[in-house]
Amino acid sequence: MPVVTPASDDVITTPNAVMTRRATPAQGAAETSVWTTRMAPGAQGPVHVIDREQIWLPLTGAITVTTGTGEERVTAGQALVLPPGAERRITAGDEGAELVVCMPAAGRVTTPSDPAPRPLPWAE
């Protein structure tokens, strides 16, 4: 039963957010990947598709998730279930957002500019 304390190499910074591995296969989890995401006010991730269901839980702030079926605003205290294969774009609200994200292990991401499936480094 591992207790995970993130190390410096568990923090991955992108132009859109900072992700910190919390419990992933690299840290002893067998079936699930969990990480936290911190987004600055108005930050927006790229359009992308994940091949696994994801659960997004804002701890502070809010995000807007845009999919092919519309937009959903998700605030602290709520949870959003994103189905596998749904094209999405995540945008932080005016106050930014801190979130917990969970998904089954071994998920892959694709983007319109890079259609080859690749792992999410913070979920490995």
Side-chain angles (χ1 to χ4, degrees):
M1 172 172 62
V3 174
V4 179
T5 301
S8 61
D9 62 344
D10 291 319
V11 179
I12 295 105
T13 302
T14 72
N16 313 305
V18 176
M19 277 66 70
T20 303
R21 291 183 193 111
R22 298 298 176 171
T24 66
Q27 298 164 310
E31 298 178 9
T32 307
S33 292
V34 179
W35 64 92
T36 54
T37 300
R38 189 177 64 236
M39 298 178 77
Q44 185 175 70
V47 172
H48 63 287
V49 174
I50 305 287
D51 67 352
R52 301 283 193 269
E53 176 181 80
Q54 286 186 321
I55 311 297
W56 287 70
L57 304 156
L59 301 174
T60 64
I63 57 171
T64 298
V65 180
T66 305
T67 66
T69 60
E71 285 187 355
E72 290 291 338
R73 186 168 191 270
V74 188
T75 62
Q78 296 181 311
L80 175 72
V81 179
L82 275 166
E87 185 176 87
R88 80 280 305 265
R89 172 173 258 169
I90 313 296
T91 305
D94 293 340
E95 64 282 350
E98 292 194 37
L99 311 112
V100 173
V101 184
C102 309
M103 74 177 193
R108 299 282 184 256
V109 62
T110 59
T111 64
S113 63
D114 186 3
R118 59 186 163 79
L120 295 166
W122 46 86
E124 294 184 303

